[in-house]
Amino acid sequence: MTRLLLFQFLSSALLCFAQPPSPKPLEQWIEKEIPLAEKYLLQNVSPPEGLPGAIVASPSKANPNYFYNWVRDSAITVKAILFQYEHSQSPQLKNKYLNLLKDIVQFNSLIQVEAQEKGQGLGEPLFYVTGTLFQGPWGRPQNDGPATRALEFIHFAHILLKNGQENYVRQTLYDGQLPTHSVIKRDLEYISHHWLDLTYDPWEEVRGHHFYTELLIRKALIEGANLATKLNDPGAAAWYLSQAQ
């Protein structure tokens, strides 16, 4: 049996080397898939039933119902939209993505306040598309959510600063004040004071200390310190770095 398996392995290997190279089917598939992926991703942003800037994890409303805005999932979606915004060559598309990102920022500002007032803090994992906090039984907190959101909005802030939109950055993304009314600083203040807390993992199953979550928090604090320094908030920058260390 061992000789037979070895023969089959060697025969397959030789056959692979004997054939001419394929025309890279994976790359061809990716090229065709990109516009489809973008189309379906954008269909989940600002659904008709919800507020502008809400992002549903899935259009499915039953078996399972994923028609919620998860902080983690929406932040990962922001990463994809940011990539399109940054690399688009069309002024019309660039403006479309910019307006979409600003809607998402506004929605996240709303749910941050909702989480602080009605929940257990910014580790609240999911919201209805109307911006209302989901208060049913769930694994909370999930502190990778605010860390991921902070990272993507920090990226957005740097892009806007390069494009001369400092006023929007200072007023909406990072105001350098305490108490703060800006989305990035809210998240940075939360994770810098709660990184030692027990939290649920991305699969929402285990409550504990998770390497993935702590790695994201550390990265967000370091990048947050960099942004704080750039925006003349040295005290906050020092605090974020001390917690990252």
Side-chain angles (χ1 to χ4, degrees):
M1 181 61 71
T2 303
R3 289 182 180 180
L4 178 60
L5 290 173
L6 180 60
F7 176 79
Q8 289 175 336
F9 172 78
L10 290 174
S11 299
S12 299
L14 289 170
L15 187 60
C16 289
F17 282 113
Q19 292 176 335
S22 67
K24 298 185 178 179
L26 176 61
E27 286 81 354
Q28 291 176 353
W29 178 84
I30 290 173
E31 188 174 345
K32 292 179 181 178
E33 181 67 17
I34 286 173
L36 288 174
E38 181 184 2
K39 172 187 172 183
Y40 292 125
L41 180 146
L42 293 178
Q43 283 181 359
N44 287 351
V45 183
S46 302
E49 303 94 325
L51 294 177
I55 303 174
V56 294
S58 166
S60 173
K61 297 179 181 178
N63 301 319
N65 181 6
Y66 279 173
F67 202 75
Y68 297 99
N69 183 105
W70 266 270
V71 175
R72 172 197 312 107
D73 298 42
S74 63
I76 294 170
T77 303
V78 168
K79 186 180 185 73
I81 297 172
L82 269 174
F83 181 88
Q84 295 297 100
Y85 169 63
E86 195 171 7
H87 294 90
S88 176
Q89 300 301 312
S90 162
Q92 292 80 8
L93 276 178
K94 218 168 181 64
N95 192 55
K96 170 189 170 182
Y97 294 130
L98 177 61
N99 290 332
L100 203 58
L101 288 163
K102 288 185 175 181
D103 283 344
I104 294 168
V105 168
Q106 183 62 35
F107 181 81
N108 276 273
S109 180
L110 172 69
I111 64 175
Q112 283 178 330
V113 173
E114 178 84 354
Q116 288 173 329
E117 292 180 352
K118 299 179 182 177
Q120 299 178 19
L122 298 188
E124 287 287 347
L126 72 158
F127 297 78
Y128 296 100
V129 295
T130 57
T132 305
L133 175 67
F134 177 87
Q135 293 180 293
W138 211 263
R140 52 174 64 85
Q142 294 181 28
N143 289 342
D144 63 308
T148 308
R149 178 170 57 194
L151 280 168
E152 298 313 322
F153 285 162
I154 288 169
H155 182 192
F156 186 34
H158 284 301
I159 295 171
L160 293 179
L161 288 171
K162 286 179 184 177
N163 294 337
Q165 298 193 47
E166 184 174 336
N167 286 341
Y168 177 83
V169 173
R170 288 186 177 276
Q171 291 171 9
T172 308
L173 296 179
Y174 190 96
D175 60 12
Q177 299 175 9
L178 285 177
T180 181
H181 301 285
S182 57
V183 288
I184 294 173
K185 192 164 177 67
R186 279 196 194 109
D187 281 336
L188 292 175
E189 288 299 314
Y190 175 79
I191 61 175
S192 67
H193 288 89
H194 293 274
W195 62 267
L196 273 172
D197 293 358
L198 296 177
T199 179
Y200 276 85
D201 64 300
W203 298 112
E204 307 179 304
E205 294 174 343
V206 179
R207 187 169 183 266
H209 292 292
H210 301 284
F211 177 74
Y212 172 79
T213 300
E214 293 181 6
L215 187 67
L216 279 172
I217 289 174
R218 182 178 184 275
K219 182 176 175 62
L221 290 172
I222 291 170
E223 295 198 13
N226 181 31
L227 180 66
T229 300
K230 184 175 286 190
L231 295 175
N232 302 313
D233 192 10
W239 165 252
Y240 301 150
L241 280 179
S242 72
Q243 296 311 297
Q245 291 166 1

